[in-house]
Amino acid sequence: MLLWDIVYQTVPIIHWGRQIRVALDVGCGVASFGGYLLDKQVLTMSMAPKDEHEAQIQFALERGIPAILSVIGTQQLVFPDNAFDLIHCARCRVHWDADAMVALTESMCWKVVAKTMDSTGIGMVIYQKPENPSCYEKRPQNNPPLCDQNDQHSVSWYTPLRGCISRLPLDKEGKVIKWPVTWPYRLSRLPVSMPSELGVVEQYNADNRRWTALVSDTYLMKLNISWPSVRNIMDMNAGYGGFAAALIDLPYWVMNVVPVHEEDTLNIIYDRGLIGVYHDWCESFNTYPRTYDLLHSSFLFKRLSERCDLIDVGVEIDRIVRPGGYLLVFDTIEMINKLTAILKSLHWSVKIHQAQYLVAQKDLWRPTS
């Protein structure tokens, strides 16, 4: 029996592709779990440990499945708190001890929803995270403790693992934020983690309108991009995820990157049913070389150039994009001209549209030794 069949038969009440939209597969192998869920309208971030398993990420991305490398065991993962609807771990190199797992999950207020074992002796347990904080207050021992309230607003970037429980997200009235509406409605509804500051909702709505129009009228129709050859896309500074949302009905998936020195909008992106990570573009990105068909950015490079050399960023873009792939930049002509010089030195072909869009395509050229 396939793993999916075991999960489905054990917990048929899980609404795949409706309540469960964004998932994380830890120790993903070649991402077969995430690949299977694509047809169920579940977007899975397949993750492999950053040691001897880099090739797994190459296989996953070659299959057109979202995947990333990550340090496991010493640092927090580069995702926001309370982001995923489901986390899956199958033989993911964690040697679970039955008694220890019972004690740990009970101390964290997680409850066992179901458990089963197949004919080969392979077992499965499904746990559910609490929906309100009352259980934490009733524990006989405050161990592990709740994390400090101030830590809820910090970006998970080079953050050491902490032996504390992340608090449940609260709204401005102190109530636990409810689960987002079902997919696909959560893509267009106001995200549950939307800040309450004046003007933010108007800015969010305007951003959505802008990207819907820009993608349909310009990106897909007027730029020199062979879109049928594109599958894996990365938005280098995703904002609210408007670019990815505008592509949602097309056969692409988008890795939404929120730079760590920009406004933290990654929770909003996950609330919309999209996926992404934090990153600093002055460093290399945790992916296998030549795994993305298109990289996109919007007004990223000026602020980036104040902290690091654009040549280094250009070389990293060249590493990530597969031969024949594209870089699409929406920016000022000043930054476009600077990027053009760098890309041409790497033998990319470059075209500029309306003095604000740069479309560059990677060549097969490599320097000779």
Side-chain angles (χ1 to χ4, degrees):
M1 183 180 293
L2 296 175
L3 172 62
W4 166 259
D5 296 322
I6 298 174
V7 174
Y8 183 79
Q9 290 183 14
T10 305
V11 193
I13 62 171
I14 293 180
H15 299 295
W16 300 96
R18 291 179 55 79
Q19 286 183 323
I20 304 298
R21 163 62 183 174
V22 285
L24 176 66
D25 187 11
V26 181
C28 62
V30 295
S32 295
F33 182 77
Y36 187 88
L37 289 177
L38 281 174
D39 289 339
K40 307 294 182 183
Q41 295 298 308
V42 177
L43 195 56
T44 304
M45 178 79 79
S46 297
M47 187 182 72
K50 190 180 180 181
D51 44 25
E52 72 270 20
H53 289 279
E54 288 89 346
Q56 292 181 346
I57 297 305
Q58 181 190 21
F59 296 148
L61 289 165
E62 288 293 340
R63 300 176 71 187
I65 301 171
I68 192 171
L69 287 164
S70 185
V71 174
I72 297 178
T74 59
Q75 296 177 3
Q76 290 185 10
L77 303 180
V78 288
F79 312 117
D81 294 349
N82 304 295
F84 291 97
D85 304 328
L86 179 141
I87 295 178
H88 171 254
C89 173
R91 299 176 177 175
C92 51
R93 305 198 324 159
V94 177
H95 300 291
W96 305 113
D97 178 88
D99 294 335
M101 281 300 296
V102 170
L104 176 61
T105 52
E106 287 182 352
S107 69
M108 295 171 59
C109 293
W110 286 59
K111 66 179 181 181
V112 175
V113 176
K115 56 183 177 180
T116 187
M117 184 175 293
D118 66 14
S119 58
T120 66
I122 302 298
M124 180 186 68
V125 183
I126 297 177
Y127 300 95
Q128 186 174 32
K129 186 174 179 177
E131 298 179 271
N132 63 73
S134 61
C135 173
Y136 299 136
E137 301 165 0
K138 298 175 182 177
R139 293 181 299 168
Q141 294 183 328
N142 187 31
N143 184 33
L146 292 175
C147 295
D148 188 276
Q149 188 70 48
N150 296 327
D151 292 338
Q152 297 296 106
H153 307 290
S154 60
V155 171
S156 179
W157 183 249
Y158 284 119
T159 304
L161 283 179
R162 300 169 297 171
C164 60
I165 303 172
S166 295
R167 295 173 181 265
L168 302 183
L170 304 177
D171 61 19
K172 59 183 178 180
E173 298 177 353
K175 298 180 180 178
V176 176
I177 293 177
K178 296 181 180 179
W179 195 289
V181 297
T182 57
W183 180 262
Y185 307 106
R186 66 191 278 184
L187 181 68
S188 55
R189 299 287 179 86
L190 283 179
V192 294
S193 61
M194 178 71 70
S196 58
E197 285 84 355
L198 185 66
V200 173
V201 172
E202 291 78 7
Q203 179 180 335
Y204 171 80
N205 289 330
D207 184 77
N208 282 329
R209 291 193 296 269
R210 180 182 71 142
W211 283 113
T212 298
L214 188 58
V215 168
S216 62
D217 298 341
T218 302
Y219 281 16
L220 297 177
M221 301 298 295
K222 299 178 180 178
L223 302 184
N224 189 31
I225 295 175
S226 175
W227 288 100
S229 67
V230 172
R231 168 63 180 171
N232 302 345
I233 298 176
M234 180 185 294
D235 193 353
M236 297 175 68
N237 59 326
Y240 296 123
F243 170 66
L247 293 171
I248 200 65
D249 292 327
L250 299 172
Y252 318 126
W253 66 269
V254 180
M255 178 71 78
N256 293 283
V257 178
V258 173
V260 293
H261 293 86
E262 304 289 336
E263 179 185 0
D264 182 6
T265 54
L266 198 50
N267 264 119
I268 291 174
I269 287 170
Y270 275 93
D271 283 348
R272 301 188 72 179
L274 306 171
I275 58 171
V277 294
Y278 296 114
H279 185 59
D280 183 351
W281 282 111
C282 291
E283 302 183 20
S284 61
F285 189 87
N286 276 335
T287 191
Y288 204 85
R290 304 173 298 280
T291 44
Y292 281 84
D293 307 317
L294 186 146
L295 263 60
H296 170 261
S297 80
S298 171
F299 296 98
L300 167 69
F301 291 101
K302 180 174 176 55
R303 292 187 294 271
L304 195 58
S305 64
E306 295 169 355
R307 299 192 300 106
C308 52
D309 194 330
L310 284 185
I311 294 177
D312 295 338
V313 181
V315 171
E316 177 63 0
I317 290 171
D318 182 81
R319 184 186 74 87
I320 294 174
V321 175
R322 69 176 71 254
Y326 299 92
L327 171 66
L328 170 54
V329 177
F330 180 26
D331 217 311
T332 64
I333 190 62
E334 175 190 5
M335 296 312 303
I336 286 175
N337 287 337
K338 290 181 178 180
L339 289 170
T340 295
I342 295 171
L343 293 167
K344 285 187 174 180
S345 73
L346 295 169
H347 291 245
W348 286 51
S349 61
V350 177
K351 292 188 177 180
I352 299 173
H353 179 72
Q354 296 181 346
Q356 57 184 341
Y357 306 105
L358 177 150
V359 177
Q361 187 172 21
K362 184 176 177 178
D363 201 294
L364 295 175
W365 174 85
R366 292 288 88 183
T368 56
S369 56

